[in-house]
Amino acid sequence: MRDDDGTFVARGDLRLVGTRVLHEYDGGHHLEVSRQQADLRRARGLVRAGWIRRGYTAGDLLHRASGVLRDADDSLGRPHDPARVAAWHDQLRASCFTPAGRSVLLARLGLATDRTQR
C-alpha cells in the first residue's frame, strides 16, 4: 500500500481494488510483543495514509467466513449474499484444515492408516 505521495507504507494480504481497505490474516505470531509493536506502528502508518485495515484470525477464516465475506462486500459497496461463501466452504473441506481433507492428503502421500482410509 502507498500513501497519496506514492510512498510505500505496507504490504498486505488482500487489497480490494478500487478501495482503501486492506483485509489481513493475523496468525498467532502477531501476539508476540515485538511483532505486536511493529504491527501497531504499521497500523498507524496505514491510518495516516488513509487506509482501513481489517484483521482476521484463523477462527474467523475457518469458522466465520461469512462475516469476512460481509466485510469485503461492505468494502466494495455491494449487497451481501451469504450463499457466495459456499465456494470457500468447498475449498476448506478439501483442505488440511478438516479431517476429511487431511485424510485425502495422507492417502495421496501413501501415509493413510486404516483409520484415515475410512
Side-chain angles (χ1 to χ4, degrees), residues 28-112:
H29 70 284
H30 287 272
L31 297 175
E32 298 167 5
V33 173
S34 62
R35 179 75 258 162
Q36 186 183 40
Q37 291 168 345
D39 286 348
L40 290 171
R41 281 190 302 274
R42 179 180 178 271
R44 289 189 300 270
L46 285 166
V47 168
R48 276 192 305 277
W51 288 88
I52 296 169
R53 181 190 179 278
R54 293 190 175 137
Y56 303 96
T57 65
D60 295 323
L61 299 176
L62 297 175
H63 307 295
R64 292 174 292 281
S66 186
V68 176
L69 177 61
R70 178 181 297 282
D71 289 346
D73 287 337
D74 288 348
S75 297
L76 293 166
R78 68 181 179 195
H80 177 61
D81 178 4
R84 283 189 288 112
V85 81
W88 170 253
H89 288 146
D90 290 343
Q91 292 292 315
L92 186 58
R93 273 190 293 281
S95 76
C96 291
F97 292 106
T98 65
R102 284 189 294 277
S103 291
V104 169
L105 176 62
L106 290 172
R108 279 183 50 204
L109 296 174
L111 302 173

